[in-house]
Amino acid sequence: MSSLRTKLVVYTVLIVLAVAAAISGISLTLAYKNSADAYERHVTDLAKTLGEAILEPLYEFDIKQLRQQAGSALASEGAIRALILDAGTRVLTDGTEANPLRGRRFADPLLRPAIDHKQWSVSTGDGRITAAGPVLATADTRLGYVVLEFSTARLDQEWMAHVSRILLLSGLCALLASLAAIIMANRITRPVKRLTDFADSIRQGSRPQSVPDCGRDEIGRLALAFAEVLTHLDRSNADLTELTASLEEKVKERTRAAEAGNKAKSEFLATMSHEIRTPMNGVLGMASLLEETDLDEDQELYARTISESGEALLEIINEILDFSKIESGKLELRSQPLDIRDLLSGVVRMLEANAAESRVALRLDYESGLPSAILGDEGRIRQIIVNLVGNAVKFTENGAVTVKVTGTGMASQTRFNIAVEDTGIGIPEDKLASVFNAFSQVNSSATRDFGGTGLGLGIASRLAHLMGGEIDVRSKPGKGSTFTFSCTFSTARDFVSGSS
């Protein structure tokens, strides 16, 4: 990109050249017109002088004298031809001894003003200037005519000399203007360059001590304004740096407090869960022993209610314990050989009774050819599947729940997609993003109608992520939902007998 200095020089020189060209053109045009007019007057004056000189010889028809006068006119610089005509426009003499044109009629339109109106006329063309006019004895008596013809070579020479002078003068003016433009551009752009270099140094991070002196004109005022802006920016940056440091310290303090609180919460939940599970196991044990004694119908109902309530409470405690372990990062996954097909079949068999009570068909659809022997944490995989299938059965009043297993083999690994499809109540679209949040239910009535803490899906989702997988959901209200657990497991064909 061109610099400002170069642009100023180029633009100034172009303007000067344009003005010089315009002035030169006008000057040359006027000069040529003036020179042509002067030369035409000169030729006309010579022709009139010749006409006055031949008045008496023409009246006396003295051809010799006429030839001498015409010859004198031909002796003038640039003269080409001098003709003296009689009143009938016949040539009397052309100023030469041979006089080859004598007696011929001179039929030239140039004579028409002289014949019709007794006026002189001048014609310029083809490198010649021709003047023609009448020789009058009296105002009404014409003795003859004079035709004088001169070359324009002299005029052309003067014109070329004038053109040379004009071009030389224009070139000199352009040179002086260019020098002036360079000097002016340097004076104008020097402070601009200083300010630009200063701005570049700031952009590159090497800030000079002060803004350079750029004079007292507009650029100088701009530099002063720039200096004030930089001063304000320095103050603002200092304040911002101080505020940032303060905010960072506050964030660190609050983060430490939050981490400490979260750790304390997780430890509290883990401790309380262990502490509550111990007496709860005792309650369940005693309730089981009580059910084996001889009880009447009401007593059996009371004992069974105690057992069911205790088991529900123990399930909640286990969920809270798992959640606290995940939150505190203390949950460790094991990797051991297992048969995932048998695991899924066992989950379906375990939950078939609950599904049958709700008149819901529960089935497993395992893709043929898909390996079943894998390496993974059997307990946590079962926990994810039980949660997904249990939820599906819980929220399906009639219809079916299908556990559909598909996958893609990759060398020694397989990507499993375990989809749990139900025909239940479904989930509104605006609630899909929150179903995996801890303590979250689709609506406030879900807990009353179906029970649960809202931790199950959150725990399942976190376990899936710990395994390197994910759980996604698709649902339409009133038409059911599909929760898909996707994860990649290493195959373990050599560890599980009977695996395909």
Side-chain angles (χ1 to χ4, degrees):
M1 183 180 291
S2 300
S3 65
L4 179 60
R5 175 179 174 276
T6 303
K7 289 180 180 178
L8 282 174
V9 172
V10 171
Y11 292 159
T12 304
V13 171
L14 289 177
I15 292 172
V16 170
L17 290 177
V19 173
I23 294 175
S24 298
I26 295 172
S27 175
L28 289 173
T29 301
L30 293 176
Y32 184 78
K33 186 176 183 305
N34 292 334
S35 298
D37 291 344
Y39 202 42
E40 288 178 358
R41 288 193 300 270
H42 172 67
V43 173
T44 303
D45 290 342
L46 286 177
K48 289 180 178 179
T49 302
L50 177 60
E52 293 174 355
I54 65 171
L55 179 60
E56 185 175 346
L58 186 59
Y59 181 78
E60 296 176 353
F61 209 70
D62 187 348
I63 300 301
K64 182 178 179 182
Q65 186 68 22
L66 292 174
R67 185 172 61 246
Q68 289 177 353
Q69 292 295 337
S72 298
L74 285 174
S76 300
E77 182 182 358
I80 298 176
R81 185 168 62 171
L83 299 178
I84 299 175
L85 312 178
D86 61 14
T89 70
R90 289 184 177 85
V91 177
L92 296 176
T93 181
D94 61 2
T96 63
E97 291 291 339
N99 200 12
L101 299 178
R102 183 173 181 179
R104 294 185 183 182
R105 185 179 295 278
F106 187 80
D108 192 303
L110 184 63
L111 277 178
R112 184 54 52 190
I115 296 171
D116 294 341
H117 307 290
K118 306 180 184 68
Q119 295 178 351
W120 285 85
S121 59
V122 180
S123 173
T124 302
D126 298 329
R128 299 179 180 186
I129 294 179
T130 305
V135 179
L136 301 176
T138 63
D140 297 325
T141 304
R142 280 173 292 191
L143 298 179
Y145 302 93
V146 173
V147 177
L148 192 59
E149 193 173 275
F150 273 69
S151 171
T152 60
R154 175 186 168 189
L155 177 64
D156 293 339
Q157 290 175 358
E158 292 179 355
W159 162 252
M160 291 306 299
H162 190 69
V163 169
S164 300
R165 289 194 296 271
I166 291 294
L167 291 179
L168 179 62
L169 183 60
S170 299
L172 182 60
C173 290
L175 178 61
L176 294 176
S178 299
L179 294 175
I182 293 173
I183 296 172
M184 179 183 67
N186 286 333
R187 291 180 62 86
I188 293 175
T189 59
R190 188 179 295 115
V192 175
K193 186 176 184 303
R194 291 174 184 167
L195 193 58
T196 303
D197 293 341
F198 180 75
D200 286 338
S201 64
I202 292 176
R203 180 174 59 84
Q204 295 170 2
S206 57
R207 164 92 178 264
Q209 294 296 323
S210 61
V211 178
D213 182 14
C214 296
R216 297 184 179 181
D217 55 7
E218 289 81 358
I219 298 175
R221 292 198 295 272
L222 177 61
L224 293 176
F226 194 38
E228 292 179 2
V229 170
L230 290 177
T231 302
H232 288 302
L233 283 177
D234 289 340
R235 293 174 184 171
S236 299
N237 287 336
D239 294 341
L240 184 59
T241 301
E242 183 179 351
L243 179 60
T244 301
S246 175
L247 288 176
E248 287 178 353
E249 186 60 32
K250 289 181 180 179
V251 169
K252 289 179 181 178
E253 291 178 0
R254 293 183 180 181
T255 301
R256 287 193 293 267
E259 290 175 349
N262 190 50
K263 182 178 180 181
K265 178 196 72 174
S266 299
E267 292 177 353
F268 171 77
L269 289 174
T271 303
M272 290 304 298
S273 298
H274 279 295
E275 294 299 327
I276 295 174
R277 278 203 307 178
T278 301
M280 184 54 62
N281 284 329
V283 171
L284 291 175
M286 292 298 102
S288 177
L289 293 175
L290 183 61
E291 288 180 3
E292 294 177 1
T293 62
D294 294 331
L295 301 173
D296 58 30
E297 186 175 347
D298 289 339
Q299 290 172 336
E300 287 182 1
L301 176 61
Y302 298 155
R304 188 165 59 253
T305 301
I306 292 172
S307 296
E308 291 175 353
S309 300
E311 289 174 357
L313 183 58
L314 187 60
E315 181 180 352
I316 293 172
I317 293 170
N318 288 334
E319 286 184 349
I320 294 174
L321 180 60
D322 287 339
F323 183 77
S324 64
K325 285 182 178 180
I326 295 173
E327 285 286 293
S328 60
K330 295 181 179 180
L331 184 67
E332 296 181 358
L333 296 177
R334 294 177 298 175
S335 181
Q336 58 187 14
L338 65 101
D339 191 313
I340 192 169
R341 185 168 189 170
D342 288 348
L343 185 152
L344 296 173
S345 298
V347 172
V348 169
R349 285 195 302 272
M350 180 180 67
L351 296 177
E352 270 183 337
N354 291 339
E357 290 180 3
S358 302
R359 297 185 298 278
V360 174
L362 179 59
R363 54 178 176 267
L364 173 65
D365 182 2
Y366 199 94
E367 181 181 344
S368 61
L370 187 67
S372 60
I374 64 170
L375 292 176
D377 191 321
E378 182 176 1
R380 295 306 177 184
I381 295 174
R382 179 182 287 108
Q383 184 176 358
I384 293 173
I385 303 304
V386 167
N387 190 287
L388 296 180
V389 176
N391 257 13
V393 172
K394 183 194 307 184
F395 292 103
T396 302
E397 296 181 353
N398 56 68
V401 174
T402 303
V403 181
K404 187 174 182 179
V405 185
T406 59
T408 305
M410 300 174 291
S412 61
Q413 294 182 323
T414 300
R415 178 74 175 182
F416 285 88
N417 298 307
I418 305 172
V420 180
E421 303 174 352
D422 65 60
T423 58
I425 60 175
I427 304 171
E429 186 175 355
D430 60 338
K431 301 292 184 179
L432 288 176
S434 62
V435 295
F436 297 108
N437 294 339
F439 306 104
S440 174
Q441 294 278 10
V442 172
N443 55 57
S444 59
S445 62
T447 302
R448 296 193 302 269
D449 296 340
F450 301 101
T453 61
L455 283 173
L457 288 177
I459 293 173
S461 177
R462 286 167 171 78
L463 289 174
H465 280 94
L466 288 175
M467 295 179 187
E470 60 181 357
I471 300 177
D472 61 37
V473 58
R474 294 179 289 106
S475 182
K476 289 185 177 180
K479 294 186 178 181
S481 306
T482 299
F483 285 83
T484 303
F485 168 47
S486 301
C487 192
T488 300
F489 295 103
S490 298
T491 55
R493 296 177 182 272
D494 298 335
F495 297 97
V496 180
S497 60
S499 63
S500 57

